[in-house]
Amino acid sequence: MRINTIGIIGAGIMGAGIAQTCAVAGLNVILNDIDDQAIRQAIKAIDTNLGRQLARTSLTAIEKDSALSRIKASPLLADLAQADFMIEAATERLETKQTIIKSLEDIATPTTIIATNTSSVSITKLARALSYPERFIGMHFFNPVPSMALVEVIRGVHTGAQVYAETMDLAKRMNKVPIPVKNSPGFIVNRLLIPMISEAIFLLQEGVAEAEDIDNAMKLGSNHPIGPLKLADMIGLDTILSVMEVLYKEFSESKYRPAQLLREMVDAGHLGRKTKRGFFQYS
């Protein structure tokens, strides 16, 4: 099957980033969200980001305009029926994701592939909501999507071989590097990354060092381009907490236990860059 149109559900940071990446790669995009304002903000953010690419001469004015013209935004889920490939990019909650992917299956054609951009939830478990789980697969993109090369491609127990092959090919068409991963909580990156971020939060909670000093220590001592707390702000502290809760539930290991400081910040709405305040403040 030739994939030409991508339907994306969720116009948040990840959904907008996936939409931009698809459009720049020459794919048509239908970006959906139940929140009209979220869609408008996503299109504005995509326009701004493409403008930055234009300023860096990594994109021409014609390519920028062409990419924008390939993105259609709609609050109506039914408009995604024409998509060849659907990507769910909603919140990291099992029940929410299952509800969405089931609604996608209800409007999809028999050949449409349905993917989830989950960072921790089991693909096999999500597929329980579907009548045809063989068409379902995981594509874990990384933030910011346009500049991060990796996509973890995760097969569930029922994922078909052809669906897997077409998803790997699609990721390459999007100029990404797809890495196949066994369906295991957290996959590769988050199994390694989340415990590090968590330990940085515990260091801050215990008063071992200030946030800036913790980040600088890892940048200078481990040659990391960004510190773990600033990275957490970029990912979103609510997302970090959701991933940790999944890992803690699945593995029952204390290294995945969320710090009380993290829970307090999420409860306070201090979620990182997207709310202008997390472990650091942003203008």
Side-chain angles (χ1 to χ4, degrees), residues 14-175:
M14 295 304 293
I18 296 169
Q20 177 183 328
T21 301
C22 289
V24 169
L27 294 155
N28 296 317
V29 176
I30 306 168
L31 180 60
N32 166 266
D33 199 290
I34 57 174
D35 186 344
D36 274 334
Q37 184 178 358
I39 294 177
R40 289 194 296 270
Q41 289 176 340
I43 297 299
K44 182 179 179 181
I46 292 170
D47 191 12
T48 299
N49 290 336
L50 290 174
R52 292 194 184 105
Q53 287 187 262
L54 177 62
R56 293 195 302 265
T57 68
S58 59
L59 206 67
T60 68
I62 293 176
E63 288 170 334
K64 174 181 180 291
D65 292 342
S66 181
L68 277 173
S69 72
R70 283 192 282 270
I71 302 174
K72 174 187 176 184
S74 174
L76 302 176
L77 196 66
D79 285 345
L80 273 67
Q82 59 189 290
D84 306 309
F85 196 105
M86 299 174 174
I87 303 174
E88 172 273 318
T91 184
E92 196 73 359
R93 299 287 181 183
L94 174 66
E95 295 79 9
T96 302
K97 286 183 177 293
Q98 284 182 321
T99 298
I100 292 172
I101 62 176
K102 177 56 182 172
S103 65
L104 293 178
E105 185 181 52
D106 291 342
I107 64 170
T109 69
T111 59
T112 303
I113 295 172
I114 301 174
T116 176
N117 175 49
T118 181
S119 54
S120 60
V121 181
S122 166
I123 304 305
T124 300
K125 191 176 292 185
L126 284 170
R128 289 179 188 169
L130 301 176
S131 299
Y132 302 97
E134 62 272 12
R135 69 161 74 182
F136 186 65
I137 196 165
M139 288 186 85
H140 180 204
F141 293 86
F142 292 80
N143 185 32
V145 179
S147 59
M148 296 293 281
L150 175 63
V151 176
E152 291 179 324
V153 178
I154 311 102
R155 297 173 69 171
V157 168
H158 302 290
T159 304
Q162 185 62 28
V163 167
Y164 167 72
E166 291 182 6
T167 303
M168 293 287 284
D169 179 66
L170 175 64
K172 293 172 185 176
R173 286 175 62 193
M174 294 170 66
N175 298 309

Side-chain angles (χ1 to χ4, degrees), residues 9 15 80 88 91 127 152 160 202 209 216 230 256 275:
I9 303 84
L80 273 67
E88 172 273 318
T91 184
E152 291 179 324
F202 273 108
N216 283 336
K230 195 156 284 185
Y256 298 118
T275 60

